[in-house]
Amino acid sequence: YIVNNGRYKNAKRLFFKVLMKDSRGVLWIGATSGAVFAIDDKTGKRSDFIHDPADPDGLSDYQTNCLCEDREGMIWIGHGSVATDRIDPGTGKIKHYQFHPGDSNSISSNIVQQIFKDRNGNLWFATWGGGLCRYHDSTDSFTSYTEKNGLVDNSMNSIVEDNKGDLCLGTGKGIWRYSPTTQTFTT
């Protein structure tokens, strides 16, 4: 279905890595071959978001690691090297979020392994090399939590939330718990 219409030139190398259904029932498919597809089975509408290094309005990166819908219905894409993207499904516009050394309000790494929405609708980013990041929608900025804040490993793979609202973080040096209330890490 995805590649039969000939619109995707790298069809022979298309590898689907991530699937997500959003709150509107649209299926989002992330590929490691420079594409994200959105398919609405109710209307039959399909949207393709393609990585093209010459197109600054397209996806910023070739590899999709994860997808997440925020409380506003925007779709976030965690990538493997260049930046993180946010798609407005209504307009199809893509905003890029890139790590900028020295800017404490930027995302702390361009490699995002997972984006997690907690029970309060806050977005958390498990980054490779940049620790844990929280996105603040009111200021369109990030707060980073790294080894400087008590995290033992800045490279993490996964996030889940426990019954108390604490975040459990999978890292290369074990599983850590982060309390958003006290802003502390424990093993």
Side-chain angles (χ1 to χ4, degrees):
Y1 176 78
I2 298 279
V3 298
N4 286 343
N5 67 5
R7 289 168 44 192
Y8 187 65
K9 60 185 172 190
N10 293 323
K12 292 180 183 175
R13 291 177 272 148
L14 199 60
F15 175 70
F16 302 117
K17 185 173 181 181
V18 184
L19 297 172
M20 180 195 78
K21 192 170 253 190
D22 71 17
S23 60
R24 295 169 299 277
V26 174
L27 179 64
W28 290 82
I29 304 168
T32 60
S33 305
V36 170
F37 306 98
I39 302 169
D40 188 337
D41 280 338
K42 295 175 197 166
T43 65
K45 182 181 177 190
R46 180 179 130 191
S47 300
D48 298 353
F49 302 93
I50 307 297
H51 169 66
D52 177 354
D55 180 8
D57 296 324
L59 293 180
S60 64
D61 203 334
Y62 193 75
Q63 178 174 319
T64 299
N65 288 340
C66 57
L67 297 164
C68 185
E69 180 182 17
D70 70 16
R71 61 178 136 212
E72 303 297 323
M74 302 296 173
I75 305 300
W76 288 78
I77 305 168
H79 291 295
S81 64
V82 177
T84 297
D85 292 330
R86 183 181 70 188
I87 297 174
D88 182 334
T91 65
K93 300 268 187 209
I94 300 172
K95 181 168 182 174
H96 309 296
Y97 293 88
Q98 195 169 34
F99 170 61
H100 297 286
D103 181 356
S104 63
N105 292 316
S106 76
I107 193 165
S108 62
S109 173
N110 290 325
I111 303 171
V112 175
Q113 301 289 74
Q114 182 185 2
I115 304 169
F116 179 77
K117 182 169 65 172
D118 70 18
R119 66 181 71 188
N120 297 317
N122 300 309
L123 289 186
W124 298 88
F125 296 74
T127 74
W128 195 255
L132 177 68
C133 277
R134 179 179 173 201
Y135 175 71
H136 303 280
D137 51 359
S138 62
T139 58
D140 197 29
S141 65
F142 295 85
T143 298
S144 300
Y145 304 91
T146 64
E147 293 171 352
K148 293 176 184 176
N149 306 98
L151 184 62
V152 173
D153 189 356
N154 283 339
S155 295
M156 59 182 54
N157 294 305
S158 57
I159 304 171
V160 295
E161 187 174 23
D162 69 14
N163 293 338
K164 296 185 279 183
D166 291 344
L167 302 178
C168 297
L169 313 169
T171 74
K173 294 182 180 176
I175 297 173
W176 292 83
R177 174 173 287 151
Y178 174 73
S179 169
T181 305
T182 64
Q183 295 188 1
T184 57
F185 291 95
T186 54
T187 184

